[in-house]
Amino acid sequence: MKKTLLTGAAAVALTAGTASAQDLTVFGPWLGPDQEMVETVLAAFEEQSGYDVSYVGSDSFEQQIMVDAEAGSAPNVAVFPQPGLASDMAASGFLTPLRDGTADWLRENYAAGQSWVDLGTFENASGEENLYGMFYKVDVKSLVWYVPENFEDAGYDVPESMEELKALTEQMAADGLTPWCIGLGSGGATGWPATDWVEDMMLRTQPPAVYDEWVSNEMPFDAEPVVNAIEEFGWFARNDDYVAGGSDAVASTDFRDSPKGLFDAPPQCMMHRQASFIPAFFPEGTEVGLDADFFYFPAYEEKDLGKPVLGAGTMWAITNENEAAHELMAFLQEPEAHEIWMGLGGFLTPHTGVDTSKFADDTLAKMNDILLDATTFRFDASDLMPGGVGAGSFWTGMVDYAGGAEAEAVASDIQDSWDSLK
């Protein structure tokens, strides 16, 4: 396979200038090691199909794909980190629907299959809905991290419901321990970790359809279900006895530093809710599965909403139709396409037909079990909202709330900011 290791202007030039010389061009956000991994997957497709395949990665994918589409020089297949941009492109007529039967295949072969169909279905320029996207390579956010030795020393069991998690939080505080480390600091993006908490709480207190109405603003941000989800986050974050440093420290603690309290002796906290990437900020030499472990951020048993999972992922869509593009989408339905990257690391999949023994390590396999057990999967809501909200007022509003502002007032301010963008 032609391995194009160009970035920046060179990559942009390739997508626009020489794409027509290839049987299949794929453009995505991956550079460095991830680029090498996706090229390994595409090499397998190339060998099976006989097509000449070229991948180009860019750290300016979101901007460049629109430029290329509007110029009539789009790649055959684009890999979208966020479905919101793909939805915009479908409405502008820049995406090709996937072939008939793909939606049925997803329902039958992906855990929480209807969720993946919904996430990849958009309206075209005429307002007609079609399935445009195939999700491949997923991240899980609904995780709680802990140190098994600390739990064992204190005699605690991993909770299996939200009721049990709250009871465990109360028990830890009663035992003189601090249950949680929470940090919202992230430079100009300060506040985003709290949006994940609220999103997880929306999925644990409301049906998926209500979550979707919130994301689209069909249901206002200051509606009762959203205010309630914010206050659910506050149950954990605004209690001085429950958070390392007290509630005043939540907004000022950097999210990269917040899990380190798990590993102090004695521990500054016993649990930390964060996505699958957080081990990158654990102390050097920490072995996940031994020194640290995780469990599913549980749902309420009494609400009977199944096992919802919050996450993110990449969506593959056809932006310049040819037969090779459709055949690549069919290849992504094969277990092999998933198992190749599973063996390389850093890959999770909702495909129920894969051989889970192919994962690079036991930690990834355990994370993937959470994904496969999901009854509902929903994409990070803030990534689907307008940038001024999802990467703006939602972030700052959560900082205000962590600092003592009332949930109703915060939610109303966020809704006002959304209204100003319409």
Side-chain angles (χ1 to χ4, degrees), residues 28-320:
W30 294 305
L31 296 168
D34 280 341
Q35 173 157 346
E36 295 177 10
M37 291 178 186
V38 73
E39 285 177 335
T40 301
V41 175
L42 293 174
F45 171 69
E46 183 179 63
E47 182 177 354
Q48 289 186 18
S49 67
Y51 289 114
D52 187 7
V53 182
S54 177
Y55 171 81
V56 179
S58 172
D59 56 6
S60 301
F61 170 84
E62 289 87 352
Q63 295 77 27
Q64 191 59 43
I65 188 62
M66 285 298 296
V67 171
D68 291 346
E70 290 170 351
S73 56
N76 300 118
V77 173
V79 183
F80 292 87
Q82 297 176 0
L85 176 58
S87 176
D88 293 342
M89 290 189 65
S92 298
F94 292 138
L95 299 188
T96 299
L98 302 186
R99 284 183 168 162
D100 291 345
T102 305
D104 289 337
W105 183 91
L106 287 169
R107 293 185 187 98
E108 294 171 4
N109 293 278
Y110 268 22
Q114 186 61 48
S115 295
W116 299 104
V117 174
D118 294 343
L119 279 169
T121 299
F122 313 117
E123 292 184 355
N124 63 15
S126 302
E128 300 168 336
E129 287 192 342
N130 295 290
L131 176 65
Y132 289 99
M134 175 80 179
F135 277 85
Y136 173 85
K137 191 177 187 298
V138 177
D139 299 310
V140 171
K141 295 193 172 191
S142 302
L143 302 175
V144 177
W145 297 85
Y146 71 107
V147 173
E149 184 178 356
N150 292 343
F151 267 47
E152 184 177 346
D153 288 346
Y156 299 141
D157 295 324
V158 169
E160 297 184 358
S161 68
M162 184 59 68
E163 290 91 342
E164 290 183 3
L165 180 62
K166 285 189 170 183
L168 178 60
T169 297
E170 293 170 337
Q171 183 62 54
M172 288 176 173
D175 292 342
L177 300 170
T178 302
W180 295 92
C181 279
I182 303 174
L184 308 187
S186 185
T190 292
W192 72 258
T195 69
D196 285 358
W197 272 88
V198 174
E199 290 155 6
D200 253 333
M201 287 305 185
M202 279 292 291
L203 290 174
R204 281 151 183 75
T205 56
Q206 302 296 326
V210 176
Y211 183 94
D212 297 340
E213 291 172 359
W214 171 51
V215 169
S216 66
N217 206 220
E218 182 180 347
M219 179 181 70
F221 210 105
D222 53 358
E224 183 178 352
V226 187
V227 172
N228 177 65
I230 294 172
E231 291 175 338
E232 285 276 344
F233 164 59
W235 189 91
F236 296 91
R238 300 213 325 184
N239 187 318
D240 288 337
D241 294 333
Y242 292 173
V243 188
S247 59
D248 289 343
V250 169
S252 59
T253 300
D254 193 284
F255 85 93
R256 288 157 285 213
D257 295 329
S258 57
K260 294 175 182 176
L262 292 170
F263 304 97
D264 289 341
Q268 290 187 30
C269 62
M270 299 292 285
M271 296 179 287
H272 181 69
R273 186 224 155 274
Q274 191 49 272
S276 53
F277 69 81
I278 200 62
F281 302 103
F282 288 172
E284 186 175 355
T286 300
E287 183 178 344
V288 176
L290 180 64
D291 305 314
D293 209 342
F294 59 89
F295 57 86
Y296 168 66
F297 188 58
Y300 278 102
E301 185 176 9
E302 67 177 17
K303 294 186 182 296
D304 196 25
L305 292 172
K307 289 188 175 181
V309 169
L310 177 71
T314 54
M315 195 198 82
W316 297 50
I318 298 173
T319 44
N320 186 359

